[in-house]
Amino acid sequence: MIEVQLDWYYRCVWPDGFGARGWKLASAIDDPNIIASTPATGDQIPTAVFIHDILDHALCGLPPSGHRAESIALLQLAARTGADPRPDLAQMVDEDLMQGQANGEPLDSLLPEDLKPQRWDRPCSGRAVIQPLIDRLGPEVVRSRLTQHLLEIGVAGAAKAEAAYRAWGLEYARRGALGLALQQLFTEADRQVCEAGWHQASGLIAISQERCALRVQSPQTWAVASQY
């Protein structure tokens, strides 16, 4: 039986500039854009950010951050939960792209072709890239086009993300059930580390075709598992 294993770390306070309590995958430890997650969920999405990082990023072959990767991952989240990805895409546009900020690549390379100027008078970056577009087209037009473009990126990357997920030997159609099972385990494990008063912990997430488990390896051995 194939079993996928992903390492994780827990800290009651992360020394990453955010100081958040929570969990991170090992792949996100050195990524300054990743904030630790608790089991808290959104109003419309029944799984936490940590589960999103597992199912929609790591197992879909996507980096833990970057606007292009996150656009694809949000479409993967939508596919397993039924959530509308557009509000989160619009939030990325409002908070980052409209401010001239892009993660994972230069902003000018992230722009759709119809928003890219035919030529640059001089090298530009950041706000100098986005402001001329806002001045020429208006903020609402730019905002709407960028949101649509991120949606298009997510749709275009869906087949490759699904193929990466299937390459682990997992059933893509069961990601919704797996996400709910992992969320339950995550909630139980977070309760355990809080009640035990651990300042830090580490372990792994193990996933097979029928079963998932969350295992603590340090500071002591503990595990919880579930069928899905």
Side-chain angles (χ1 to χ4, degrees), residues 128-211:
V129 173
I130 200 70
Q131 192 60 52
L133 294 174
I134 295 173
D135 293 341
R136 176 164 57 90
L137 301 173
E140 288 307 313
V141 171
V142 175
R143 179 181 186 272
S144 177
R145 182 65 188 99
L146 289 176
T147 302
Q148 179 62 28
H149 181 55
L150 294 186
L151 182 65
E152 292 163 357
I153 288 173
V155 172
K160 186 175 181 180
E162 179 176 344
Y165 188 91
R166 291 184 184 278
W168 293 101
L170 301 174
E171 295 183 37
Y172 186 82
R174 301 187 66 199
R175 293 191 325 123
L178 174 56
L180 294 176
L182 286 172
Q183 177 67 29
Q184 181 180 10
L185 301 187
F186 183 28
T187 300
E188 292 182 37
D190 192 67
R191 184 183 305 116
Q192 166 67 19
V193 299
C194 289
E195 291 178 353
W198 295 339
H199 291 286
Q200 59 186 46
S202 61
L204 59 85
I205 295 283
I207 302 170
S208 65
Q209 288 188 359
E210 302 290 339
R211 186 176 177 83

Side-chain angles (χ1 to χ4, degrees), residues 18-218:
F18 298 108
R21 181 190 79 82
W23 304 60
K24 292 186 183 185
L25 290 178
S27 59
I29 290 296
D30 296 324
D31 191 323
N33 297 302
I34 301 298
I35 302 175
S37 171
T38 67
T41 66
D43 294 335
Q44 306 297 323
I45 300 173
T47 53
V49 172
F50 187 59
I51 308 305
H52 173 59
D53 292 344
I54 295 168
L55 292 183
D56 308 317
H57 281 269
L59 296 186
C60 286
L62 295 168
S65 70
H67 286 99
R68 189 176 297 273
E70 185 61 25
S71 297
I72 299 170
L74 284 172
L75 266 292
Q76 294 303 300
L77 173 65
R80 68 176 172 86
T81 66
D84 184 353
R86 287 172 294 186
D88 284 331
L89 295 173
Q91 182 177 352
M92 289 198 296
V93 170
D94 289 339
E95 295 182 355
D96 299 324
L97 303 189
M98 294 292 284
Q99 311 308 316
Q101 301 169 7
N103 296 326
E105 63 188 284
L107 177 57
D108 59 316
S109 74
L110 188 62
L111 293 176
E113 290 300 321
D114 54 295
L115 291 188
K116 291 181 178 180
Q118 295 300 310
R119 64 182 181 85
W120 296 104
D121 293 330
R122 61 184 182 280
C124 294
S125 63
R127 190 73 187 185
V129 173
I130 200 70
Q131 192 60 52
L133 294 174
I134 295 173
D135 293 341
R136 176 164 57 90
L137 301 173
E140 288 307 313
V141 171
V142 175
R143 179 181 186 272
S144 177
R145 182 65 188 99
L146 289 176
T147 302
Q148 179 62 28
H149 181 55
L150 294 186
L151 182 65
E152 292 163 357
I153 288 173
V155 172
K160 186 175 181 180
E162 179 176 344
Y165 188 91
R166 291 184 184 278
W168 293 101
L170 301 174
E171 295 183 37
Y172 186 82
R174 301 187 66 199
R175 293 191 325 123
L178 174 56
L180 294 176
L182 286 172
Q183 177 67 29
Q184 181 180 10
L185 301 187
F186 183 28
T187 300
E188 292 182 37
D190 192 67
R191 184 183 305 116
Q192 166 67 19
V193 299
C194 289
E195 291 178 353
W198 295 339
H199 291 286
Q200 59 186 46
S202 61
L204 59 85
I205 295 283
I207 302 170
S208 65
Q209 288 188 359
E210 302 290 339
R211 186 176 177 83
C212 56
L214 194 155
R215 301 168 186 164
V216 178
Q217 298 171 319
S218 175

